[in-house]
Amino acid sequence: MDVRAMEFPPDCFDAIIDKATLDCVFASRDAETDVPRAIQGIYTCLKPGGVYFCVSNAAPDRRFPFLKLASFHWTIDVLELRKPKIDVLTEVEENEVYFLYVCTKSI
């Protein structure tokens, strides 16, 4: 299923877990329209009180402009998750944390 065109009925999930799906949509050629459409689909599928868990490489300043659009009524908490150290990849110095966005849909 394409996250930009969800086919689930409204209010059907208690939780949605996303590990880098939204990051992939942000990397698409049409991110300006695809990202809000994807988040809208996720938001619509969540039951009131449902939680969207989004694990992302992107910091809050890159994700909040979209997650905090006026049409989404949810609270957002952000946790930083330390990436495990893997000796083989030590030459690649990227961000040392993942960001976990916990978006709880208002009741």
Side-chain angles (χ1 to χ4, degrees), residues 13-16 18 22 35-54 63-77 101-107:
F13 292 112
D14 292 311
I16 296 174
D18 163 6
L22 194 60
V35 170
R37 214 169 17 161
I39 298 172
Q40 182 63 56
I42 291 164
Y43 183 84
T44 300
C45 290
L46 278 177
K47 292 179 181 178
V51 182
Y52 169 46
F53 297 95
C54 177
R63 293 297 175 256
F64 278 171
F66 292 89
L67 291 172
K68 290 186 173 185
L69 290 173
S71 58
F72 307 128
H73 303 284
W74 49 20
T75 58
I76 304 172
D77 295 307
Y101 297 90
V102 182
C103 307
T104 305
K105 187 173 180 179
S106 298
I107 296 176

Side-chain angles (χ1 to χ4, degrees), residues 8-29:
F8 295 106
D11 304 331
C12 65
F13 292 112
D14 292 311
I16 296 174
I17 301 171
D18 163 6
K19 171 53 176 92
T21 301
L22 194 60
D23 286 354
C24 292
V25 177
F26 268 99
S28 74
R29 179 179 24 174

Side-chain angles (χ1 to χ4, degrees), residues 1 3-4 6 8 22 32 40 61 78 84-85 91 104:
M1 178 167 304
V3 71
R4 298 165 300 173
M6 301 285 267
F8 295 106
L22 194 60
E32 279 292 313
Q40 182 63 56
D61 64 318
V78 182
K85 294 285 185 187
E91 67 214 37
T104 305

